[in-house]
Amino acid sequence: MSDVMVDHTQKLEETAVPNNLEQQDKQDEEQPQQSVQENAEYEDEELHKLLVPDITQLPLIPPSAVEFNFASYFAPDFMKPGNDQYVYRHANGLCVVGLASTHLAFNDKGGITAVDFNVGKSDRSGMKVTGKRKKNAQHFESNTALCKVCTNGDSYIVRCCVKGSLLEVNERLIKQPELLHSSADREGYIAIIMPKPADWLKVKASLLSLEDFKKLRALC
Amino acid sequence: MSNEVESAQVSDAMEVAQLSSLAAVDSHAGSCEAEMPSRLLNDAVRSLPYHVVKDLLSIGVCSRCVLRILGTEDHIYCHSSFSQSMLCSVLEEVTGFKSEGDFQFCSVCLGVLQLSYRDDKETLVKMESPNDMALVIAELVKKEGHQIDGFSLEVSIPQFILENESSLLSGMKKRYESEPWLQERLLSKCVSVKDVLKFAITKPLETLLNTKASASSFRIRLAYTHKMAFGNSVERNQGFKRRKIGTENGLQNVNDESVVANKDCSDYPTNETIAVTGRSSLKVPIDKVSEPCHLVYLCYRTHIYLCGRYLKYSRNVSQTRWIIDEERMGEASVEEIIGSNILPMYRGDNYKFHAAGREDIDVRMLGSGRPFLLEIQNARQVPSEETVKEIESKINGLENKLVGVKNLQVVGSQGWTLMREGEAEKQKQYCALVWISRPLEDEDVCSISLLNDMQILQKTPIRVLHRRSPLERKKIIHWMKIERIAESSQYFLLHLCTQAGTYIKEFVHGDFGRTQPSIGSILGCRAEILQLDVTDVKMDSF
């Protein structure tokens, strides 16, 4: 695809004006405005050629933004059997944590009814982190509670899994707990945590890769 | 044309007359030198109040300062043929003053007008004629390899000299207050040390450099400093940009901390003391100036600005040099491609690249291009307009076709404001290659095109959250248009025009639902972005 781009580029820069004049040598003097307009249209055409992709080079299903930009890790049975959580780590070190699809909460009849961030010593949804240095971010351990996920019959504590500063919790879950059902791995994320490099290395050792997690849970 | 005059010590009044027989030394003289320079000098000297000259000479004021303070027109004594020693002798002869002892640095100008100073190697230099100083400058310009068609001469001197002068002047006004010459000579402001030196050096310099002094981007600067200069805040805040002569590494800022506050106020005598004769005696702050000023010769060209628009055809080229842990990210940078092709044409020390906004390394910059400004520091030559056009063609003709340039031209310092102006308000146009998790319907194409000036709320994208404040930003999507791609039901091109500062990638995939609404949420399915191109950066002035 890049070869195609190079060819078009040459045309765009070097021949835009001359080509145009050749085509209109007689009309040129009488209608100078038209040639300017046509010139612009020609450039637009050339630009368009650059924009349209070669469909044969595109995958049927492309990797998602998460797959592409994050490394996926899993914590099976974290602190309690059935408490499967994921940790998606971005190249910049930030970790998005949430419920893995195999979490026990998804088995409950009636599904997830509520998400409550008021656990532990404070309401996690109330904190305000400001500035580049992330002032006021609370420092949590990996077993610190983030929120409580409630179903008809039960409730489950979701924990950080990663030691670090809590930057954000997904407040939308309060009003829309069903997001956990529709997309626990995207819009239904629980929180964003920023670990220190050293802390990450420590916890990484205890997490599973996607492949290993699949094997463990016998997923296809 | 060099200075041919070198007069020996004049010890005899007769020899003063001999000076008038000197051949016409220069024809580049100013308009008012119709008569022989030496005769003018002679006449001027004879018209001075002799007793005042003696008084001044006896407290260590140099001959040029004497002439200057007593209101002599500078072209009379600034002639490049008049050496230090000659002027001194003329004055002494005519007024009958005999100086005792060795050469002293002037108690007012600290040696500046005696063309004496310490150079950067701490060597004591005593030049005889302004021509000699002009020669040093010309050598420096040549050594630095500057090609010039004009120059601007600047002189900076320690504040202390001005204080010396005003102290002396007020003393003189008291002492000679009843005398007739005072009105005419002293009460009008006397020419400053700076102006005299500039005047003396300018003409020989014009000859040597073969060009005229004018308001020019090429600056020649004589920076004088003195250890004894008390810690005046004015002095310290002058903040000279120091550059060592002939440094190849470019410009370095060295703060001259040797210009120190040795505040010794108690030694600062006033001119109020009454002498034995009943008249107040003249005093200057320093009776014996043991050290002259320190002089640094500088020549440099002020920044030259080139502006234009750049295009980026590659998805592996960053805008600016990007190095992490000694490893370069991407195969090249727009900054380096443009800068490295332009800098050699100006033979400058360094360049600085500024652009109106930026795009990610994997995003192409197409269409009209993005405005940029290139700052060239200390250019040794200024190429013509045609050459600039050639540079543009050269960059556009590079084999690897990574970057393109449009409308490259030299711009004044207003280019800076032009670029920053309204940067935040500018609209940007993009084209994104989008994939959705279900087939695209005609309804979708229609509903998307109906959304105009739609407001979205974006939380700081996770990919930049580590270095940006967690904020929620309101942005406007001005318009959108879907272009179907033949042979595909789930891929399409999304053309959109948004407010500056909108994160397009996050608007497409939603960023974990932290950008609301997103293409995915509008179409009710999962949306992913595969490629992004900037197709227009709207800015009129560029």
Side-chain angles (χ1 to χ4, degrees):
Chain A
M1 190 159 165
S2 54
D3 289 344
V4 172
M5 279 199 284
V6 171
D7 288 342
H8 285 302
T9 309
Q10 267 181 317
K11 267 198 209 160
L12 179 70
E13 291 307 325
E14 293 168 15
T15 67
V17 174
N19 236 7
N20 195 43
L21 291 177
E22 267 175 46
Q23 286 164 12
Q24 305 209 87
D25 41 15
K26 283 181 194 164
Q27 298 168 341
D28 224 34
E29 280 139 31
E30 302 160 41
Q31 293 157 322
Q33 269 204 316
Q34 195 179 356
S35 72
V36 167
Q37 193 191 325
E38 286 206 16
N39 193 28
E41 281 170 12
Y42 182 83
E43 278 194 14
D44 282 344
E45 251 178 66
E46 290 301 304
L47 170 62
H48 191 256
K49 283 190 201 161
L50 284 175
L51 297 174
V52 177
D54 179 359
I55 209 74
T56 62
Q57 301 285 321
L58 296 175
L60 203 60
I61 299 179
S64 72
V66 177
E67 280 160 17
F68 199 76
N69 297 309
F70 292 78
S72 308
Y73 298 92
F74 292 85
D77 304 318
F78 191 75
M79 302 276 302
K80 205 175 167 191
N83 199 35
D84 291 350
Q85 290 182 224
Y86 66 73
V87 176
Y88 294 154
R89 185 173 184 270
H90 193 274
N92 62 20
L94 296 185
C95 295
V96 180
V97 302
L99 300 183
S101 56
T102 51
H103 195 280
L104 267 183
F106 294 119
N107 287 351
D108 281 19
K109 261 198 290 196
I112 293 167
T113 52
V115 176
D116 184 11
F117 285 100
N118 196 0
V119 293
K121 294 188 187 152
S122 58
D123 188 344
R124 314 308 188 204
S125 64
M127 50 119 231
K128 285 266 172 277
V129 177
T130 54
K132 283 186 196 174
R133 306 252 177 253
K134 315 301 183 280
K135 259 175 36 173
N136 299 341
Q138 288 177 292
H139 297 283
F140 286 160
E141 298 294 324
S142 55
N143 60 3
T144 310
L146 277 173
C147 67
K148 192 165 61 178
V149 169
C150 307
T151 59
N152 262 332
D154 225 333
S155 71
Y156 306 84
I157 299 286
V158 182
R159 301 180 190 272
C160 291
C161 284
V162 181
K163 176 181 174 187
S165 309
L166 180 64
L167 296 189
E168 185 182 301
V169 297
N170 189 1
E171 288 165 358
R172 293 175 71 211
L173 288 175
I174 300 173
K175 290 223 173 103
Q176 298 175 276
E178 62 274 15
L179 284 173
L180 284 169
H181 283 293
S182 57
S183 49
D185 63 343
R186 260 169 94 121
E187 284 80 10
Y189 76 98
I190 302 285
I192 302 178
I193 296 175
M194 185 167 76
K196 292 203 185 101
D199 291 333
W200 166 251
L201 287 175
K202 278 189 215 152
V203 80
K204 185 180 173 187
S206 58
L207 298 172
L208 294 182
S209 69
L210 175 60
E211 226 181 87
D212 292 341
F213 180 72
K214 277 190 184 165
K215 279 191 205 145
L216 181 69
R217 289 284 178 255
L219 300 168
C220 53
Chain B
M1 188 152 115
S2 57
N3 179 20
E4 296 155 65
V5 178
E6 205 50 57
S7 61
Q9 275 289 84
V10 180
S11 56
D12 191 292
M14 288 291 286
E15 294 197 31
V16 173
Q18 271 183 19
L19 287 168
S20 59
S21 69
L22 287 168
V25 174
D26 52 327
S27 48
H28 61 258
S31 51
C32 32
E33 289 194 351
E35 306 179 43
M36 296 301 299
S38 49
R39 174 144 18 117
L40 282 173
L41 176 66
N42 235 340
D43 293 345
V45 170
R46 281 181 203 287
S47 71
L48 296 172
Y50 293 178
H51 61 292
V52 181
V53 175
K54 274 201 224 176
D55 285 344
L56 290 175
L57 290 174
S58 68
I59 54 169
V61 181
C62 75
S63 28
R64 283 203 178 90
C65 278
V66 170
L67 289 161
R68 178 176 69 86
I69 286 171
L70 293 177
T72 313
E73 284 178 39
D74 45 17
H75 67 92
I76 291 177
Y77 61 95
C78 283
H79 206 278
S80 52
S81 58
F82 297 157
S83 71
Q84 273 308 103
S85 21
M86 187 269 266
L87 277 175
C88 202
S89 311
V90 169
L91 280 181
E92 290 185 354
E93 199 45 50
V94 166
T95 62
F97 176 86
K98 274 279 184 283
S99 62
E100 329 133 15
D102 308 320
F103 174 90
Q104 282 295 321
F105 297 114
C106 175
S107 44
V108 174
C109 71
L110 308 179
V112 173
L113 290 184
Q114 292 167 298
L115 311 182
S116 305
Y117 56 87
R118 267 204 197 279
D119 67 11
D120 58 336
K121 296 191 181 65
E122 299 299 320
T123 316
L124 186 61
V125 178
K126 284 186 207 162
M127 301 224 157
E128 278 298 318
S129 130
N131 247 43
D132 301 328
M133 287 188 75
L135 263 167
V136 174
I137 296 173
E139 279 298 308
L140 176 63
V141 172
K142 185 167 151 200
K143 181 173 168 199
E144 286 283 304
H146 281 282
Q147 255 176 39
I148 59 175
D149 56 2
F151 66 89
S152 167
L153 180 62
E154 309 166 341
V155 173
S156 66
I157 55 173
Q159 180 75 351
F160 189 44
I161 291 180
L162 298 167
E163 287 160 8
N164 281 352
E165 187 173 289
S166 79
S167 169
L168 178 64
L169 284 173
S170 60
M172 284 171 73
K173 283 176 190 157
K174 280 207 172 62
R175 182 176 163 89
Y176 306 113
E177 67 183 308
S178 51
E179 300 190 21
W181 57 268
L182 192 80
Q183 283 291 342
E184 193 196 310
R185 289 183 177 270
L186 211 55
L187 292 183
S188 50
K189 204 159 183 273
C190 76
V191 187
S192 70
V193 171
K194 274 203 257 196
D195 288 340
V196 167
L197 187 64
K198 280 207 278 198
F199 188 91
I201 296 182
T202 299
K203 295 225 180 59
L205 202 53
E206 281 181 338
T207 309
L208 285 169
L209 296 177
N210 202 20
T211 183
K212 289 277 170 221
S214 59
S216 169
S217 64
F218 183 70
R219 306 277 162 89
I220 297 174
R221 187 175 187 163
L222 273 55
Y224 287 91
T225 52
H226 199 271
K227 286 199 290 290
M228 288 271 260
F230 294 153
N232 291 310
S233 56
V234 176
E235 169 90 14
R236 266 202 283 238
N237 288 347
Q238 256 158 18
F240 302 126
K241 275 205 169 87
R242 291 297 172 88
R243 297 168 199 85
K244 294 233 153 146
I245 300 170
T247 304
E248 273 123 31
N249 297 342
L251 309 178
Q252 292 165 4
N253 266 356
V254 175
N255 271 330
D256 188 10
E257 272 134 13
S258 61
V259 174
V260 128
N262 264 336
K263 219 162 173 67
D264 233 348
C265 283
S266 53
D267 287 350
Y268 211 97
T270 62
N271 279 292
E272 305 293 328
T273 52
I274 312 293
V276 176
T277 56
R279 283 198 301 178
S280 52
S281 70
L282 283 181
K283 275 202 183 282
V284 274
I286 313 171
D287 273 345
K288 288 213 190 286
V289 180
S290 54
E291 269 296 302
C293 293
H294 193 266
L295 171 61
V296 177
Y297 290 96
L298 300 162
C299 70
Y300 60 95
R301 192 181 299 279
T302 51
H303 294 328
I304 292 187
Y305 294 97
L306 278 162
C307 74
R309 284 186 178 244
Y310 75 81
L311 292 106
K312 185 162 86 81
Y313 300 114
S314 163
R315 295 196 189 279
N316 195 22
V317 169
S318 55
Q319 190 195 64
T320 54
R321 216 162 127 249
W322 189 8
I323 300 197
I324 296 184
D325 292 336
E326 290 173 24
E327 239 188 83
R328 173 194 286 283
M329 307 299 283
E331 70 182 271
S333 72
V334 175
E335 167 184 62
E336 285 168 291
I337 291 175
I338 294 181
S340 66
N341 277 290
I342 291 182
L343 188 70
M345 308 300 282
Y346 284 81
R347 284 193 291 125
D349 283 343
N350 226 338
Y351 63 81
K352 275 197 191 148
F353 179 85
H354 312 275
R358 58 186 171 195
E359 63 281 331
D360 290 343
I361 187 172
D362 60 346
V363 174
R364 292 184 300 181
M365 179 69 237
L366 307 172
S368 51
R370 186 184 295 279
F372 72 89
L373 207 62
L374 193 72
E375 208 179 285
I376 310 275
Q377 296 169 355
N378 202 15
R380 304 298 196 284
Q381 71 196 28
V382 184
S384 64
E385 233 178 84
E386 281 120 51
T387 314
V388 173
K389 291 211 172 75
E390 279 168 27
I391 298 175
E392 180 175 325
S393 306
K394 178 179 171 208
I395 296 176
N396 289 331
L398 286 175
E399 213 182 294
N400 53 22
K401 292 267 183 280
L402 300 172
V403 166
V405 173
K406 274 185 180 177
N407 301 337
L408 188 65
Q409 56 195 272
V410 177
V411 70
S413 50
Q414 78 274 17
W416 194 251
T417 18
L418 277 181
M419 208 172 67
R420 293 287 168 228
E421 211 171 68
E423 204 181 46
E425 292 128 41
K426 290 308 169 192
Q427 295 181 4
K428 310 262 162 69
Q429 207 169 304
Y430 302 87
C431 177
L433 176 58
V434 178
W435 177 91
I436 49 174
S437 52
R438 62 152 173 82
L440 185 70
E441 309 290 342
D442 287 336
E443 272 161 31
D444 303 322
V445 177
C446 190
S447 59
I448 289 280
S449 68
L450 291 174
L451 295 166
N452 272 323
D453 291 325
M454 174 178 72
Q455 187 176 287
I456 67 172
L457 217 52
Q458 294 195 290
K459 286 198 176 140
T460 306
I462 295 179
R463 65 184 164 102
V464 299
L465 186 55
H466 64 295
R467 58 180 165 86
R468 291 258 173 88
S469 290
L471 289 176
E472 213 160 6
R473 296 176 179 88
K474 284 192 191 137
K475 292 293 168 190
I476 299 186
I477 311 289
H478 294 291
W479 54 259
M480 289 189 280
K481 185 172 154 253
I482 289 183
E483 182 186 329
R484 282 183 178 275
I485 295 177
E487 303 134 19
S488 177
S489 58
Q490 287 173 258
Y491 281 105
F492 60 88
L493 284 178
L494 176 67
H495 300 272
L496 64 164
C497 178
T498 74
Q499 186 182 355
T502 310
Y503 288 93
I504 307 298
K505 292 175 183 173
E506 277 70 16
F507 172 62
V508 173
H509 63 63
D511 192 32
F512 289 89
R514 298 165 72 255
T515 290
Q516 290 278 332
S518 65
I519 291 291
S521 71
I522 294 171
L523 295 179
C525 59
R526 184 162 65 100
E528 306 288 355
I529 180 171
L530 276 88
Q531 279 174 14
L532 182 60
D533 295 322
V534 188
T535 52
D536 194 8
V537 173
K538 299 187 201 298
M539 199 176 277
D540 310 310
S541 42
F542 260 67

